[in-house]
Amino acid sequence: MQVAQANKARDRATQLSQAAESGVAELRQSLRKEHDRAEALAGELAKARRDLKAQLALSSKASDEASQAKKAAETATAELRQSLKTEHDRAETLTGELARVRGELETQLAVSSKAGGGTVQVKKGAKGATAELRQSLKKERDTAEVPAPGHKPTADASRGGGCDRAANGC
């Protein structure tokens, strides 16, 4: 009877581990996509700044041309900031999902640890994957929150981005 329960608990722990690994893989993929998007936005912003500088140099003959170029750059910057905010919100959502999945895994591992077996290894593997994702997310946040040259940092960036989930699990 105890052997059957232990086998059942081990099977459940294996299923949970596989589900956690699948969730972690999905979160990594989502994080990669958001990181790629942030890099693309940074490239677009750099290109927009270069274009603006060239336009301003050429438009010295008429002040209203310079005003129009400045307005276009402000609009592009606002759009890019909105996109960056969206990406940041997505990263926050991923952080919450990661914490939820990790909590579920730890709960299940605590329940199944009474049965013994390889749950310690599963938990170590999950913690390692979690730490790796947190580090990747922190790196993404750091990249995303760097203010553009010549622009004041946003309120979040000037405070260090608020709660740093990757560093202290807020």
Side-chain angles (χ1 to χ4, degrees), residues 23-135:
V24 167
E26 289 175 16
L27 289 172
R28 282 184 180 156
Q29 180 64 25
S30 294
L31 184 59
R32 270 190 220 110
K33 286 180 183 178
E34 290 304 316
H35 178 72
D36 292 346
R37 184 172 178 222
E39 286 181 355
L41 289 173
E44 288 178 30
L45 179 60
K47 184 183 181 304
R49 286 190 178 131
R50 287 190 303 270
D51 291 348
L52 176 62
K53 191 173 183 177
Q55 286 177 358
L56 290 174
L58 295 173
S59 68
S60 63
K61 50 182 145 162
S63 65
D64 68 335
E65 287 181 24
S67 176
Q68 289 174 352
K70 184 177 179 183
K71 287 179 184 178
E74 289 171 352
T75 300
T77 301
E79 290 172 1
L80 289 172
R81 285 189 182 180
Q82 181 60 39
S83 295
L84 184 60
K85 182 187 180 309
T86 301
E87 185 271 331
H88 177 74
D89 292 346
R90 173 95 171 123
E92 290 293 327
T93 300
L94 290 173
T95 300
E97 181 66 16
L98 176 61
R100 184 188 64 78
V101 168
R102 182 173 176 241
E104 288 176 7
L105 178 62
E106 287 179 359
T107 299
Q108 291 300 324
L109 288 174
V111 168
S112 65
S113 69
K114 293 178 183 176
T119 58
V120 172
Q121 289 178 334
V122 171
K123 188 173 182 179
K124 285 181 181 177
K127 282 187 178 182
T130 300
E132 185 177 316
L133 282 175
R134 282 185 177 163
Q135 186 176 15

